[in-house]
Amino acid sequence: MSTMGDGTRAVRAGLPEPQQYEPTLPGPVFAAHYHLSGEPTGPYTYGRDTNPTWTHLERAIGELEAPGEDVETTVFASGMAAISAVLLSQVRTGDVVVLPDDGYQALPLVRAQLDAYGVRVRTAPTGGDAQLALLEGARLLWLETPSNPGLDVCDVRRLVDAAHAGGTLVAVDNTLATPLGQRPLELGADFSVASDTKGMTGHGDVLLGHVTCRDPELAAGVRRWRKVVGAIPGPMEAWLAHRSLATLELRIERQCANALVLAEALAERPEVSGLRYPGLPTDPSYPTAVRQMRRFGSVVSFVLADRGTAERFLSALRLAEDATSFGGVRSTAERRARWGGDAVPEGFIRFSVGAENAADLVGDVARALDEAGTGS
């Protein structure tokens, strides 16, 4: 499947060999235990270890992450479970980990846990490849590109080359891009990690995460961590995720195209500042993004005058829900500073562009900006 288009690959990914009178995608397997006589040498032994529904999904994600290559994917109950599995399975007391200081809001929670375990943590911004300066003696470099919510981009190949030269492993949080926008393993990373709650499943109804590796030993460590802590997805969630992958290319194409149209429209609005979208040629991240990304994601960020203006804008929107996720077929937007933890202005908006008609969406945003500016 390595030479097939993204759409073909997405609708075929992970399907088992055809069996007469059997469904093309078998339904979810709800099982805590399996028939198991004699020595436990088969693939399915106990429900916390393995499940056929996970197997199909893991193969599907692997085919999208690295078409035609031999990789191993492990699925988790959430994106944070996947992130934690990499960080906490690969480091020990006294190790050094390099994190972005502008990454996902829950990343500081992981940092606190690493601190408690005696792991030394260094942080630097995503932009400007600033983490390069902190690599000496590090066990693991964690990249998030584009970053959430600021949408900065770092040069993955450059950072990977520098890290590997010093014996440092590299993990990339690829949630915002998805494998259709960026393939971290092709850029040299050791781990590609994502919250599949977002763009991969795209409907806002599944919590899921995954880790994909080329190295079987690294993959075994991640899979062992899942078994030890029990951070497993339910079979129904895994099946829904696999079903949703069939429309991945359709969704991502529409959402990325819409995001660019919206970003271009926002660039013309005088009340909008700090506009960021990696696919906008005027964006500071564009020169790097265009070298390593095939699609630029569905998230646009910008700043309005203050908290009140931002809240009036969000209240006036009719085609975007005020919600705290992104990557779904229905547009969402939020004033990110309401959570604390992100170093953003009070009027900072993270807008996740959905699959609505672009003209309708741009018109709705323009009207909401007008209403927010007049205080109505």
Side-chain angles (χ1 to χ4, degrees):
M1 291 180 66
S2 59
T3 60
M4 293 183 180
D6 286 340
T8 304
R9 189 177 299 111
V11 300
R12 304 294 305 176
L15 297 181
E17 289 297 317
Q19 298 289 331
Q20 187 77 342
Y21 311 120
E22 292 293 324
T24 55
L25 177 61
V29 174
F30 298 96
H33 59 266
Y34 305 85
H35 289 294
L36 190 65
S37 58
E39 293 299 316
T41 56
Y44 304 108
T45 57
Y46 183 62
R48 191 182 71 255
D49 298 342
T50 49
N51 179 291
T53 309
W54 303 349
T55 300
H56 295 316
L57 175 60
E58 288 170 344
R59 288 174 180 165
I61 293 174
E63 290 170 16
L64 297 173
E65 286 277 11
E69 295 190 44
D70 187 14
V71 297
E72 292 190 38
T73 296
T74 305
V75 290
F76 289 86
S78 69
M80 280 306 297
I83 289 169
S84 301
V86 173
L87 286 164
L88 298 176
S89 71
Q90 300 301 319
V91 301
R92 303 290 183 268
T93 299
D95 284 347
V96 172
V97 171
V98 180
L99 302 179
D101 64 12
D102 55 349
Y104 177 54
Q105 184 196 41
L107 208 52
L109 301 177
V110 181
R111 177 184 181 166
Q113 193 62 57
L114 291 169
D115 287 338
Y117 288 156
V119 175
R120 292 176 290 163
V121 179
R122 304 170 185 160
T123 63
T126 298
D129 299 340
Q131 290 168 282
L132 272 175
L134 306 179
L135 291 178
E136 185 176 354
R139 164 67 178 167
L140 178 68
L141 168 64
W142 187 273
L143 304 178
E144 184 179 306
T145 180
S147 61
N148 171 30
L151 302 182
D152 272 321
V153 171
C154 61
D155 186 330
V156 176
R157 285 190 183 92
R158 181 186 182 202
L159 284 153
V160 164
D161 288 347
H164 285 174
T168 301
L169 296 171
V170 181
V172 177
D173 184 333
N174 200 43
T175 300
L176 202 144
T178 80
L180 269 60
Q182 179 173 263
R183 293 185 185 136
L185 299 184
E186 288 186 0
L187 298 171
D190 301 289
F191 303 91
S192 182
V193 188
S195 168
D196 301 318
T197 308
K198 313 298 194 299
M200 284 287 275
T201 55
H203 292 80
D205 54 8
V206 173
L207 287 171
L208 201 81
H210 80 267
V211 178
T212 302
C213 310
R214 275 200 188 92
D215 186 322
E217 187 175 341
L218 295 177
V222 170
R223 197 169 289 265
R224 179 181 179 277
W225 182 263
R226 182 181 68 179
K227 177 178 179 177
V228 169
V229 301
I232 58 172
M236 190 66 194
E237 285 78 4
W239 184 85
L240 284 170
H242 197 167
R243 179 214 58 179
S244 297
L245 289 181
T247 60
L248 179 62
E249 194 251 7
L250 296 171
R251 292 185 280 107
I252 295 299
E253 279 286 303
R254 178 64 167 262
Q255 290 173 248
C256 291
N258 281 356
L260 180 58
V261 171
L262 179 60
E264 291 170 340
L266 288 167
E268 302 298 320
R269 298 290 303 211
E271 68 270 56
V272 168
S273 64
L275 174 66
R276 298 300 306 270
Y277 181 64
L280 200 61
T282 54
D283 190 275
S285 288
Y286 182 80
T288 302
V290 78
R291 291 197 304 269
Q292 65 190 26
M293 300 183 73
R294 296 179 301 131
R295 296 174 178 88
F296 301 103
S298 61
V299 178
V300 177
S301 68
F302 56 95
V303 180
L304 299 180
D306 51 35
R307 174 176 177 168
T309 305
E311 290 180 347
R312 289 194 300 273
F313 166 72
L314 293 168
S315 296
L317 289 170
R318 295 171 186 163
L319 296 181
E321 301 158 358
D322 193 342
T324 190
S325 195
F326 62 85
V329 291
R330 291 179 292 277
S331 291
T332 61
E334 72 168 334
R335 191 181 67 84
R336 194 63 187 164
R338 65 181 176 174
W339 297 99
D342 291 319
V344 296
E346 286 293 325
F348 182 98
I349 301 292
R350 184 182 70 182
F351 200 110
S352 173
V353 183
E356 299 88 357
N357 289 109
D360 295 336
L361 193 59
V362 169
D364 188 48
V365 169
R367 179 194 50 76
L369 286 170
D370 291 340
E371 292 185 16
T374 61
S376 60

